Every structure is written in C-alpha cells, then in structure tokens.
Short mmCIF file of all heavy atoms in Angstrom, two decimals:
data_model
loop_
_atom_site.label_atom_id
_atom_site.label_comp_id
_atom_site.label_asym_id
_atom_site.label_seq_id
_atom_site.Cartn_x
_atom_site.Cartn_y
_atom_site.Cartn_z
N MET B 1171 130.49 88.42 62.07
CA MET B 1171 131.04 87.20 62.63
C MET B 1171 132.54 87.38 62.81
O MET B 1171 133.24 87.79 61.90
CB MET B 1171 130.72 86.04 61.68
CG MET B 1171 131.27 84.74 62.09
SD MET B 1171 130.60 83.33 61.18
CE MET B 1171 130.44 83.91 59.53
N ASN B 1172 133.02 87.04 63.99
CA ASN B 1172 134.43 87.22 64.28
C ASN B 1172 135.10 85.87 64.55
O ASN B 1172 135.34 85.51 65.69
CB ASN B 1172 134.62 88.16 65.47
CG ASN B 1172 136.06 88.53 65.69
OD1 ASN B 1172 136.93 88.18 64.90
ND2 ASN B 1172 136.33 89.22 66.76
N ILE B 1173 135.39 85.15 63.51
CA ILE B 1173 135.98 83.81 63.64
C ILE B 1173 137.43 83.90 64.08
O ILE B 1173 137.99 82.94 64.56
CB ILE B 1173 135.88 83.05 62.29
CG1 ILE B 1173 134.43 82.92 61.89
CG2 ILE B 1173 136.52 81.69 62.36
CD1 ILE B 1173 133.54 82.30 62.92
N GLN B 1174 138.04 85.05 63.96
CA GLN B 1174 139.44 85.21 64.36
C GLN B 1174 139.61 85.08 65.86
O GLN B 1174 140.71 84.82 66.33
CB GLN B 1174 139.98 86.57 63.88
CG GLN B 1174 139.84 86.81 62.39
CD GLN B 1174 140.45 85.71 61.53
OE1 GLN B 1174 141.37 85.02 61.95
NE2 GLN B 1174 139.93 85.51 60.34
N THR B 1175 138.53 85.27 66.62
CA THR B 1175 138.61 85.14 68.07
C THR B 1175 138.97 83.70 68.42
O THR B 1175 138.31 82.77 67.99
CB THR B 1175 137.27 85.52 68.73
OG1 THR B 1175 136.94 86.85 68.35
CG2 THR B 1175 137.36 85.43 70.23
N LYS B 1176 140.02 83.56 69.18
CA LYS B 1176 140.51 82.23 69.55
C LYS B 1176 139.58 81.56 70.55
O LYS B 1176 139.08 82.19 71.45
CB LYS B 1176 141.90 82.34 70.18
CG LYS B 1176 142.95 82.89 69.26
CD LYS B 1176 143.63 81.79 68.54
CE LYS B 1176 144.76 82.39 67.70
NZ LYS B 1176 145.51 81.41 67.01
N LEU B 1177 139.38 80.27 70.36
CA LEU B 1177 138.61 79.48 71.30
C LEU B 1177 139.59 78.79 72.26
O LEU B 1177 140.71 78.46 71.87
CB LEU B 1177 137.80 78.41 70.57
CG LEU B 1177 136.75 78.87 69.57
CD1 LEU B 1177 136.02 77.66 68.99
CD2 LEU B 1177 135.76 79.82 70.20
N SER B 1178 139.12 78.54 73.46
CA SER B 1178 139.92 77.76 74.40
C SER B 1178 139.96 76.32 73.91
O SER B 1178 139.22 75.93 73.00
CB SER B 1178 139.30 77.83 75.80
OG SER B 1178 138.09 77.07 75.83
N GLY B 1179 140.78 75.52 74.53
CA GLY B 1179 140.87 74.12 74.15
C GLY B 1179 139.53 73.40 74.29
O GLY B 1179 139.12 72.66 73.40
N LYS B 1180 138.85 73.63 75.40
CA LYS B 1180 137.56 72.98 75.64
C LYS B 1180 136.52 73.48 74.66
O LYS B 1180 135.71 72.71 74.15
CB LYS B 1180 137.11 73.23 77.08
CG LYS B 1180 135.96 72.36 77.54
CD LYS B 1180 136.30 70.88 77.55
CE LYS B 1180 137.21 70.50 78.68
NZ LYS B 1180 137.59 69.10 78.71
N GLU B 1181 136.53 74.78 74.35
CA GLU B 1181 135.59 75.33 73.37
C GLU B 1181 135.83 74.71 72.00
O GLU B 1181 134.87 74.40 71.28
CB GLU B 1181 135.73 76.85 73.30
CG GLU B 1181 135.19 77.57 74.52
CD GLU B 1181 135.56 79.03 74.57
OE1 GLU B 1181 136.53 79.46 73.89
OE2 GLU B 1181 134.90 79.77 75.30
N THR B 1182 137.07 74.52 71.64
CA THR B 1182 137.41 73.89 70.37
C THR B 1182 136.90 72.46 70.32
O THR B 1182 136.33 72.02 69.31
CB THR B 1182 138.93 73.93 70.13
OG1 THR B 1182 139.37 75.30 70.16
CG2 THR B 1182 139.31 73.31 68.81
N GLU B 1183 137.07 71.73 71.41
CA GLU B 1183 136.57 70.35 71.47
C GLU B 1183 135.06 70.31 71.30
O GLU B 1183 134.53 69.50 70.53
CB GLU B 1183 136.91 69.71 72.82
CG GLU B 1183 138.36 69.32 73.00
CD GLU B 1183 138.59 68.69 74.35
OE1 GLU B 1183 138.55 69.41 75.37
OE2 GLU B 1183 138.78 67.46 74.39
N VAL B 1184 134.36 71.19 72.03
CA VAL B 1184 132.90 71.23 71.96
C VAL B 1184 132.45 71.61 70.55
O VAL B 1184 131.54 70.98 69.99
CB VAL B 1184 132.32 72.20 73.02
CG1 VAL B 1184 130.84 72.45 72.79
CG2 VAL B 1184 132.55 71.64 74.42
N ALA B 1185 133.07 72.60 69.95
CA ALA B 1185 132.70 73.02 68.59
C ALA B 1185 132.88 71.88 67.61
O ALA B 1185 132.03 71.64 66.74
CB ALA B 1185 133.53 74.24 68.16
N GLY B 1186 133.97 71.13 67.74
CA GLY B 1186 134.21 69.99 66.86
C GLY B 1186 133.15 68.91 67.03
O GLY B 1186 132.68 68.33 66.04
N LEU B 1187 132.74 68.65 68.27
CA LEU B 1187 131.72 67.63 68.51
C LEU B 1187 130.36 68.09 68.00
O LEU B 1187 129.59 67.27 67.47
CB LEU B 1187 131.66 67.29 70.00
CG LEU B 1187 132.90 66.54 70.53
CD1 LEU B 1187 132.83 66.41 72.05
CD2 LEU B 1187 133.06 65.18 69.87
N ILE B 1188 130.07 69.37 68.11
CA ILE B 1188 128.81 69.90 67.56
C ILE B 1188 128.81 69.71 66.04
O ILE B 1188 127.82 69.32 65.45
CB ILE B 1188 128.61 71.37 67.95
CG1 ILE B 1188 128.26 71.46 69.43
CG2 ILE B 1188 127.53 72.03 67.09
CD1 ILE B 1188 128.22 72.86 69.98
N ALA B 1189 129.95 69.99 65.42
CA ALA B 1189 130.05 69.83 63.96
C ALA B 1189 129.86 68.37 63.55
O ALA B 1189 129.39 68.09 62.45
CB ALA B 1189 131.40 70.34 63.47
N LYS B 1190 130.18 67.44 64.45
CA LYS B 1190 129.97 66.02 64.17
C LYS B 1190 128.53 65.60 64.44
O LYS B 1190 128.17 64.46 64.19
CB LYS B 1190 130.90 65.17 65.04
CG LYS B 1190 132.33 65.21 64.63
CD LYS B 1190 133.14 64.28 65.52
CE LYS B 1190 134.57 64.21 65.08
NZ LYS B 1190 135.35 63.29 65.92
N GLY B 1191 127.73 66.51 65.00
CA GLY B 1191 126.32 66.20 65.24
C GLY B 1191 125.99 65.74 66.64
O GLY B 1191 124.88 65.30 66.91
N TYR B 1192 126.94 65.85 67.56
CA TYR B 1192 126.70 65.42 68.93
C TYR B 1192 125.69 66.35 69.61
O TYR B 1192 125.69 67.56 69.37
CB TYR B 1192 127.98 65.47 69.76
CG TYR B 1192 128.93 64.31 69.53
CD1 TYR B 1192 129.27 63.87 68.26
CD2 TYR B 1192 129.51 63.67 70.61
CE1 TYR B 1192 130.16 62.82 68.08
CE2 TYR B 1192 130.41 62.63 70.43
CZ TYR B 1192 130.72 62.22 69.16
OH TYR B 1192 131.61 61.19 68.98
N LYS B 1193 124.87 65.79 70.47
CA LYS B 1193 123.94 66.56 71.30
C LYS B 1193 124.65 66.89 72.61
O LYS B 1193 125.66 66.27 72.95
CB LYS B 1193 122.69 65.74 71.57
CG LYS B 1193 121.92 65.45 70.29
CD LYS B 1193 120.68 64.67 70.57
CE LYS B 1193 119.90 64.62 69.28
NZ LYS B 1193 119.39 63.40 68.90
N ASP B 1194 124.10 67.85 73.35
CA ASP B 1194 124.74 68.28 74.60
C ASP B 1194 125.00 67.12 75.55
O ASP B 1194 126.07 67.04 76.15
CB ASP B 1194 123.91 69.35 75.30
CG ASP B 1194 124.02 70.71 74.61
OD1 ASP B 1194 124.75 70.83 73.61
OD2 ASP B 1194 123.38 71.66 75.10
N VAL B 1195 124.04 66.23 75.69
CA VAL B 1195 124.22 65.10 76.61
C VAL B 1195 125.37 64.20 76.16
O VAL B 1195 126.15 63.70 76.99
CB VAL B 1195 122.90 64.31 76.80
CG1 VAL B 1195 122.48 63.61 75.52
CG2 VAL B 1195 123.01 63.34 77.95
N GLU B 1196 125.51 64.02 74.86
CA GLU B 1196 126.61 63.21 74.33
C GLU B 1196 127.95 63.90 74.52
O GLU B 1196 128.95 63.25 74.84
CB GLU B 1196 126.38 62.92 72.84
CG GLU B 1196 125.14 62.10 72.57
CD GLU B 1196 124.76 62.06 71.10
OE1 GLU B 1196 124.81 63.11 70.43
OE2 GLU B 1196 124.39 60.96 70.64
N ILE B 1197 127.97 65.22 74.32
CA ILE B 1197 129.20 65.99 74.53
C ILE B 1197 129.61 65.90 76.00
O ILE B 1197 130.79 65.69 76.31
CB ILE B 1197 129.01 67.46 74.10
CG1 ILE B 1197 128.78 67.54 72.58
CG2 ILE B 1197 130.21 68.31 74.51
CD1 ILE B 1197 128.34 68.90 72.09
N ALA B 1198 128.65 66.06 76.89
CA ALA B 1198 128.93 66.00 78.32
C ALA B 1198 129.55 64.66 78.70
O ALA B 1198 130.56 64.61 79.43
CB ALA B 1198 127.65 66.25 79.12
N LYS B 1199 128.99 63.57 78.19
CA LYS B 1199 129.52 62.25 78.51
C LYS B 1199 130.91 62.04 77.91
O LYS B 1199 131.79 61.47 78.53
CB LYS B 1199 128.57 61.16 78.00
CG LYS B 1199 127.31 61.05 78.83
CD LYS B 1199 126.38 59.98 78.28
CE LYS B 1199 125.10 59.92 79.09
NZ LYS B 1199 124.16 58.93 78.54
N THR B 1200 131.09 62.52 76.69
CA THR B 1200 132.37 62.36 76.00
C THR B 1200 133.50 63.12 76.70
O THR B 1200 134.61 62.62 76.83
CB THR B 1200 132.26 62.84 74.54
OG1 THR B 1200 131.24 62.07 73.88
CG2 THR B 1200 133.57 62.68 73.79
N LEU B 1201 133.19 64.34 77.15
CA LEU B 1201 134.22 65.20 77.75
C LEU B 1201 134.23 65.16 79.28
O LEU B 1201 135.01 65.88 79.90
CB LEU B 1201 134.03 66.64 77.27
CG LEU B 1201 134.12 66.87 75.76
CD1 LEU B 1201 133.92 68.33 75.43
CD2 LEU B 1201 135.47 66.38 75.22
N PHE B 1202 133.35 64.34 79.86
CA PHE B 1202 133.27 64.21 81.31
C PHE B 1202 133.01 65.55 82.01
O PHE B 1202 133.68 65.91 82.99
CB PHE B 1202 134.54 63.54 81.88
CG PHE B 1202 134.82 62.21 81.27
CD1 PHE B 1202 135.82 62.07 80.32
CD2 PHE B 1202 134.07 61.10 81.60
CE1 PHE B 1202 136.09 60.83 79.73
CE2 PHE B 1202 134.32 59.85 81.03
CZ PHE B 1202 135.33 59.72 80.09
N ILE B 1203 132.05 66.29 81.46
CA ILE B 1203 131.61 67.55 82.06
C ILE B 1203 130.09 67.53 82.15
O ILE B 1203 129.45 66.68 81.53
CB ILE B 1203 132.10 68.79 81.27
CG1 ILE B 1203 131.61 68.75 79.81
CG2 ILE B 1203 133.63 68.90 81.31
CD1 ILE B 1203 131.98 69.97 78.99
N SER B 1204 129.52 68.47 82.90
CA SER B 1204 128.06 68.49 83.04
C SER B 1204 127.41 69.05 81.78
O SER B 1204 128.03 69.79 81.01
CB SER B 1204 127.66 69.33 84.25
OG SER B 1204 127.88 70.70 83.99
N GLN B 1205 126.13 68.71 81.63
CA GLN B 1205 125.37 69.24 80.50
C GLN B 1205 125.26 70.76 80.61
O GLN B 1205 125.30 71.47 79.61
CB GLN B 1205 123.97 68.62 80.50
CG GLN B 1205 123.63 67.95 79.20
CD GLN B 1205 122.25 67.34 79.26
OE1 GLN B 1205 121.99 66.49 80.10
NE2 GLN B 1205 121.39 67.76 78.37
N ARG B 1206 125.13 71.25 81.82
CA ARG B 1206 125.06 72.69 82.05
C ARG B 1206 126.35 73.36 81.57
O ARG B 1206 126.31 74.42 80.94
CB ARG B 1206 124.81 72.98 83.52
CG ARG B 1206 124.72 74.45 83.81
CD ARG B 1206 124.51 74.69 85.29
NE ARG B 1206 124.59 76.11 85.55
CZ ARG B 1206 123.68 76.79 86.19
NH1 ARG B 1206 122.60 76.20 86.64
NH2 ARG B 1206 123.85 78.08 86.39
N ARG B 1207 127.48 72.75 81.86
CA ARG B 1207 128.77 73.32 81.43
C ARG B 1207 128.86 73.33 79.90
O ARG B 1207 129.37 74.29 79.32
CB ARG B 1207 129.93 72.51 82.03
CG ARG B 1207 131.28 73.07 81.69
CD ARG B 1207 131.51 74.44 82.32
NE ARG B 1207 132.75 75.00 81.83
CZ ARG B 1207 132.88 76.22 81.29
NH1 ARG B 1207 131.85 77.02 81.22
NH2 ARG B 1207 134.04 76.63 80.87
N VAL B 1208 128.35 72.29 79.27
CA VAL B 1208 128.33 72.26 77.80
C VAL B 1208 127.53 73.45 77.28
O VAL B 1208 127.98 74.15 76.37
CB VAL B 1208 127.73 70.94 77.26
CG1 VAL B 1208 127.56 71.00 75.74
CG2 VAL B 1208 128.60 69.75 77.63
N GLY B 1209 126.37 73.69 77.86
CA GLY B 1209 125.55 74.84 77.45
C GLY B 1209 126.28 76.15 77.62
O GLY B 1209 126.18 77.05 76.76
N GLU B 1210 127.01 76.29 78.71
CA GLU B 1210 127.79 77.52 78.95
C GLU B 1210 128.87 77.69 77.89
O GLU B 1210 129.10 78.79 77.39
CB GLU B 1210 128.43 77.48 80.33
CG GLU B 1210 127.43 77.57 81.47
CD GLU B 1210 128.04 77.27 82.82
OE1 GLU B 1210 129.21 76.82 82.88
OE2 GLU B 1210 127.35 77.47 83.83
N ILE B 1211 129.54 76.59 77.55
CA ILE B 1211 130.60 76.65 76.55
C ILE B 1211 130.03 77.01 75.19
O ILE B 1211 130.59 77.84 74.47
CB ILE B 1211 131.38 75.31 76.51
CG1 ILE B 1211 132.16 75.11 77.81
CG2 ILE B 1211 132.31 75.25 75.30
CD1 ILE B 1211 132.74 73.72 78.00
N VAL B 1212 128.90 76.40 74.82
CA VAL B 1212 128.25 76.71 73.54
C VAL B 1212 127.88 78.20 73.51
O VAL B 1212 128.12 78.88 72.51
CB VAL B 1212 127.02 75.81 73.31
CG1 VAL B 1212 126.21 76.29 72.11
CG2 VAL B 1212 127.43 74.36 73.13
N PHE B 1213 127.33 78.70 74.60
CA PHE B 1213 126.96 80.11 74.69
C PHE B 1213 128.20 80.99 74.49
O PHE B 1213 128.16 81.97 73.73
CB PHE B 1213 126.32 80.41 76.05
CG PHE B 1213 125.99 81.86 76.25
CD1 PHE B 1213 124.84 82.40 75.71
CD2 PHE B 1213 126.83 82.68 76.98
CE1 PHE B 1213 124.53 83.74 75.88
CE2 PHE B 1213 126.55 84.03 77.16
CZ PHE B 1213 125.39 84.56 76.61
N ASN B 1214 129.30 80.64 75.14
CA ASN B 1214 130.54 81.42 75.00
C ASN B 1214 131.06 81.43 73.57
O ASN B 1214 131.52 82.47 73.08
CB ASN B 1214 131.62 80.87 75.94
CG ASN B 1214 131.33 81.14 77.39
OD1 ASN B 1214 130.55 82.03 77.73
ND2 ASN B 1214 131.94 80.36 78.27
N ILE B 1215 131.00 80.29 72.91
CA ILE B 1215 131.45 80.22 71.52
C ILE B 1215 130.58 81.13 70.65
O ILE B 1215 131.11 81.90 69.82
CB ILE B 1215 131.41 78.77 70.98
CG1 ILE B 1215 132.39 77.88 71.74
CG2 ILE B 1215 131.72 78.75 69.48
CD1 ILE B 1215 132.20 76.39 71.48
N LYS B 1216 129.27 81.05 70.83
CA LYS B 1216 128.36 81.90 70.05
C LYS B 1216 128.66 83.38 70.28
O LYS B 1216 128.65 84.17 69.33
CB LYS B 1216 126.90 81.60 70.41
CG LYS B 1216 126.39 80.27 69.90
CD LYS B 1216 124.95 80.11 70.36
CE LYS B 1216 124.35 78.80 70.01
NZ LYS B 1216 122.98 78.68 70.53
N GLN B 1217 128.92 83.74 71.52
CA GLN B 1217 129.26 85.14 71.85
C GLN B 1217 130.55 85.56 71.16
O GLN B 1217 130.63 86.62 70.56
CB GLN B 1217 129.39 85.31 73.36
CG GLN B 1217 128.10 85.20 74.12
CD GLN B 1217 127.20 86.40 73.87
OE1 GLN B 1217 126.28 86.31 73.08
NE2 GLN B 1217 127.49 87.48 74.51
N LYS B 1218 131.58 84.72 71.28
CA LYS B 1218 132.88 85.04 70.68
C LYS B 1218 132.79 85.20 69.17
O LYS B 1218 133.43 86.07 68.58
CB LYS B 1218 133.91 83.95 71.00
CG LYS B 1218 134.44 84.01 72.41
CD LYS B 1218 135.50 82.93 72.62
CE LYS B 1218 136.10 83.03 74.00
NZ LYS B 1218 137.19 82.06 74.19
N TRP B 1219 132.03 84.32 68.54
CA TRP B 1219 131.92 84.33 67.08
C TRP B 1219 130.80 85.23 66.58
O TRP B 1219 130.67 85.43 65.37
CB TRP B 1219 131.72 82.92 66.55
CG TRP B 1219 132.98 82.08 66.57
CD1 TRP B 1219 134.23 82.49 66.91
CD2 TRP B 1219 133.09 80.71 66.23
NE1 TRP B 1219 135.12 81.46 66.81
CE2 TRP B 1219 134.45 80.35 66.39
CE3 TRP B 1219 132.18 79.75 65.81
CZ2 TRP B 1219 134.91 79.06 66.13
CZ3 TRP B 1219 132.64 78.46 65.56
CH2 TRP B 1219 134.00 78.12 65.71
N GLY B 1220 129.97 85.75 67.47
CA GLY B 1220 128.88 86.64 67.06
C GLY B 1220 127.83 85.94 66.22
O GLY B 1220 127.33 86.50 65.24
N ILE B 1221 127.52 84.71 66.59
CA ILE B 1221 126.51 83.94 65.86
C ILE B 1221 125.34 83.62 66.79
O ILE B 1221 125.44 83.78 68.00
CB ILE B 1221 127.10 82.64 65.27
CG1 ILE B 1221 127.70 81.75 66.37
CG2 ILE B 1221 128.13 82.97 64.20
CD1 ILE B 1221 128.19 80.40 65.89
N GLN B 1222 124.24 83.15 66.19
CA GLN B 1222 123.03 82.90 66.96
C GLN B 1222 122.69 81.43 67.12
O GLN B 1222 122.10 81.04 68.13
CB GLN B 1222 121.83 83.59 66.28
CG GLN B 1222 121.96 85.10 66.22
CD GLN B 1222 121.98 85.73 67.60
OE1 GLN B 1222 121.18 85.37 68.45
NE2 GLN B 1222 122.92 86.63 67.82
N SER B 1223 123.04 80.60 66.15
CA SER B 1223 122.53 79.23 66.19
C SER B 1223 123.64 78.19 66.30
O SER B 1223 124.79 78.40 65.91
CB SER B 1223 121.70 78.94 64.94
OG SER B 1223 122.52 78.69 63.83
N ARG B 1224 123.23 77.06 66.81
CA ARG B 1224 124.10 75.90 66.92
C ARG B 1224 124.48 75.38 65.53
O ARG B 1224 125.58 74.88 65.33
CB ARG B 1224 123.34 74.85 67.72
CG ARG B 1224 124.10 73.64 68.08
CD ARG B 1224 123.16 72.69 68.83
NE ARG B 1224 123.85 71.50 69.22
CZ ARG B 1224 124.40 71.32 70.41
NH1 ARG B 1224 124.30 72.25 71.34
NH2 ARG B 1224 125.03 70.20 70.68
N VAL B 1225 123.56 75.51 64.59
CA VAL B 1225 123.83 75.08 63.21
C VAL B 1225 124.98 75.90 62.63
O VAL B 1225 125.91 75.34 62.04
CB VAL B 1225 122.57 75.18 62.33
CG1 VAL B 1225 122.89 74.90 60.89
CG2 VAL B 1225 121.48 74.24 62.83
N GLU B 1226 124.93 77.21 62.82
CA GLU B 1226 126.03 78.07 62.36
C GLU B 1226 127.34 77.63 62.99
O GLU B 1226 128.37 77.56 62.32
CB GLU B 1226 125.78 79.53 62.75
CG GLU B 1226 124.75 80.26 61.94
CD GLU B 1226 124.58 81.67 62.46
OE1 GLU B 1226 123.99 81.84 63.55
OE2 GLU B 1226 125.06 82.61 61.79
N LEU B 1227 127.29 77.36 64.28
CA LEU B 1227 128.48 76.95 65.00
C LEU B 1227 129.06 75.68 64.38
O LEU B 1227 130.26 75.61 64.12
CB LEU B 1227 128.11 76.72 66.47
CG LEU B 1227 129.25 76.60 67.47
CD1 LEU B 1227 128.73 76.88 68.87
CD2 LEU B 1227 129.92 75.26 67.43
N GLY B 1228 128.22 74.70 64.12
CA GLY B 1228 128.67 73.45 63.53
C GLY B 1228 129.26 73.63 62.14
O GLY B 1228 130.30 73.05 61.82
N ILE B 1229 128.61 74.45 61.34
CA ILE B 1229 129.09 74.69 59.98
C ILE B 1229 130.46 75.38 60.00
O ILE B 1229 131.39 74.99 59.28
CB ILE B 1229 128.08 75.53 59.17
CG1 ILE B 1229 126.82 74.69 58.91
CG2 ILE B 1229 128.69 76.05 57.87
CD1 ILE B 1229 125.65 75.47 58.37
N ILE B 1230 130.58 76.40 60.84
CA ILE B 1230 131.85 77.13 60.93
C ILE B 1230 132.95 76.21 61.45
O ILE B 1230 134.07 76.21 60.93
CB ILE B 1230 131.69 78.37 61.82
CG1 ILE B 1230 130.77 79.38 61.15
CG2 ILE B 1230 133.05 78.99 62.12
CD1 ILE B 1230 130.28 80.49 62.06
N ALA B 1231 132.64 75.42 62.47
CA ALA B 1231 133.64 74.49 63.02
C ALA B 1231 134.10 73.51 61.95
O ALA B 1231 135.28 73.20 61.85
CB ALA B 1231 133.05 73.75 64.22
N PHE B 1232 133.17 73.02 61.13
CA PHE B 1232 133.51 72.11 60.05
C PHE B 1232 134.40 72.82 59.02
O PHE B 1232 135.44 72.28 58.62
CB PHE B 1232 132.25 71.57 59.39
CG PHE B 1232 132.53 70.64 58.26
CD1 PHE B 1232 132.88 69.33 58.50
CD2 PHE B 1232 132.44 71.08 56.94
CE1 PHE B 1232 133.14 68.45 57.44
CE2 PHE B 1232 132.71 70.22 55.89
CZ PHE B 1232 133.06 68.91 56.14
N GLU B 1233 134.00 74.01 58.61
CA GLU B 1233 134.76 74.76 57.60
C GLU B 1233 136.17 75.10 58.06
O GLU B 1233 137.09 75.13 57.26
CB GLU B 1233 134.01 76.03 57.21
CG GLU B 1233 132.77 75.77 56.38
CD GLU B 1233 132.01 77.03 56.02
OE1 GLU B 1233 132.35 78.13 56.50
OE2 GLU B 1233 131.04 76.90 55.25
N TYR B 1234 136.32 75.37 59.36
CA TYR B 1234 137.64 75.71 59.89
C TYR B 1234 138.39 74.49 60.42
O TYR B 1234 139.36 74.61 61.15
CB TYR B 1234 137.51 76.80 60.96
CG TYR B 1234 137.33 78.16 60.33
CD1 TYR B 1234 136.07 78.60 59.92
CD2 TYR B 1234 138.41 78.99 60.10
CE1 TYR B 1234 135.90 79.82 59.31
CE2 TYR B 1234 138.25 80.22 59.49
CZ TYR B 1234 137.00 80.64 59.10
OH TYR B 1234 136.83 81.85 58.49
N LYS B 1235 137.88 73.31 60.04
CA LYS B 1235 138.55 72.04 60.33
C LYS B 1235 138.81 71.81 61.82
O LYS B 1235 139.89 71.38 62.21
CB LYS B 1235 139.84 71.93 59.52
CG LYS B 1235 139.58 71.91 58.03
CD LYS B 1235 140.86 71.80 57.26
CE LYS B 1235 140.71 71.74 55.78
NZ LYS B 1235 139.65 72.32 55.10
N LEU B 1236 137.79 72.10 62.64
CA LEU B 1236 137.89 71.81 64.06
C LEU B 1236 137.52 70.37 64.36
O LEU B 1236 137.51 69.94 65.50
CB LEU B 1236 136.99 72.76 64.87
CG LEU B 1236 137.34 74.24 64.78
CD1 LEU B 1236 136.43 75.05 65.67
CD2 LEU B 1236 138.80 74.49 65.12
N ILE B 1237 137.23 69.61 63.29
CA ILE B 1237 136.92 68.20 63.43
C ILE B 1237 138.15 67.42 63.01
O ILE B 1237 138.69 67.64 61.94
CB ILE B 1237 135.74 67.79 62.50
CG1 ILE B 1237 134.52 68.63 62.80
CG2 ILE B 1237 135.45 66.32 62.63
CD1 ILE B 1237 133.39 68.36 61.84
N GLN B 1238 138.55 66.48 63.85
CA GLN B 1238 139.66 65.62 63.49
C GLN B 1238 139.14 64.44 62.68
O GLN B 1238 138.07 63.92 62.96
CB GLN B 1238 140.35 65.07 64.73
CG GLN B 1238 141.28 66.02 65.39
CD GLN B 1238 142.10 65.31 66.45
OE1 GLN B 1238 141.74 64.24 66.92
NE2 GLN B 1238 143.20 65.91 66.81
N SER B 1239 139.90 64.04 61.72
CA SER B 1239 139.57 62.83 60.97
C SER B 1239 139.72 61.63 61.91
O SER B 1239 140.64 61.60 62.71
CB SER B 1239 140.54 62.69 59.80
OG SER B 1239 140.52 61.39 59.31
N PRO B 1240 138.84 60.65 61.80
CA PRO B 1240 138.99 59.45 62.64
C PRO B 1240 140.35 58.79 62.45
O PRO B 1240 140.89 58.21 63.36
CB PRO B 1240 137.87 58.53 62.15
CG PRO B 1240 136.90 59.40 61.46
CD PRO B 1240 137.69 60.58 60.95
N LEU B 1241 140.92 58.89 61.26
CA LEU B 1241 142.23 58.31 60.99
C LEU B 1241 143.34 59.04 61.73
O LEU B 1241 144.33 58.45 62.10
CB LEU B 1241 142.51 58.31 59.49
CG LEU B 1241 141.55 57.50 58.64
CD1 LEU B 1241 141.87 57.67 57.16
CD2 LEU B 1241 141.60 56.03 59.03
N ALA B 1242 143.15 60.34 61.97
CA ALA B 1242 144.18 61.12 62.65
C ALA B 1242 144.29 60.72 64.12
O ALA B 1242 145.32 60.89 64.73
CB ALA B 1242 143.85 62.60 62.53
N ARG B 1243 143.22 60.17 64.69
CA ARG B 1243 143.22 59.83 66.10
C ARG B 1243 143.79 58.44 66.36
O ARG B 1243 144.22 58.16 67.45
CB ARG B 1243 141.80 59.89 66.67
CG ARG B 1243 141.38 61.32 66.90
CD ARG B 1243 140.03 61.36 67.54
NE ARG B 1243 139.05 61.34 66.46
CZ ARG B 1243 137.85 60.83 66.55
NH1 ARG B 1243 137.44 60.31 67.64
NH2 ARG B 1243 137.04 60.86 65.52
N THR B 1244 143.80 57.60 65.35
CA THR B 1244 144.29 56.24 65.57
C THR B 1244 145.79 56.19 65.37
O THR B 1244 146.31 56.64 64.37
CB THR B 1244 143.63 55.25 64.58
OG1 THR B 1244 143.22 55.92 63.41
CG2 THR B 1244 142.52 54.48 65.18
N LYS B 1245 146.47 55.64 66.37
CA LYS B 1245 147.92 55.48 66.26
C LYS B 1245 148.23 54.01 66.46
O LYS B 1245 147.83 53.40 67.43
CB LYS B 1245 148.64 56.31 67.31
CG LYS B 1245 148.51 57.79 67.06
CD LYS B 1245 149.39 58.56 68.00
CE LYS B 1245 149.32 60.03 67.65
NZ LYS B 1245 150.23 60.81 68.42
N SER B 1246 148.95 53.45 65.51
CA SER B 1246 149.28 52.03 65.61
C SER B 1246 150.73 51.84 65.99
O SER B 1246 151.57 52.61 65.69
CB SER B 1246 149.03 51.33 64.27
OG SER B 1246 147.68 51.49 63.92
#
C-alpha cells in the first residue's frame, strides 16, 4: 500500500465522503459530478494506494484524517 501517493483535491474529497459512508450516487450529488466520474475517481484512488476495496479506502481515509469535523466547516 502506497499511502504516500498524493491525491488530487477531488480524490481527497471523494475519499473523505466514502469514509463518511456516502454511496456513489450521494457523492455525485454532493460534488455535482456524474456517478460514472465518481467511479473513475474511486478506481484512481485504489490504483494510487494499491488497495482493492472501498472499505479499505474508507478506513485509510479516516485514519489519515481526510474527513473534516462538522465543527470545522461551520463558521459563525
């Protein structure tokens, strides 16, 4: 597994949403991209990291803190 490989901004967003449990259709709606594009991005992340499953992707994204805390997004 090569986690040192940098993800693009969109790949990072997708990885974070997968770690939150989002499905491809939800990711597509959230990021305003097609479901097919989401699949391509997921495939690219798996290739870069040398992993096989979406579950691995989510776990790694969580461990490497690719998920923002809901509190971090709110600005008052």
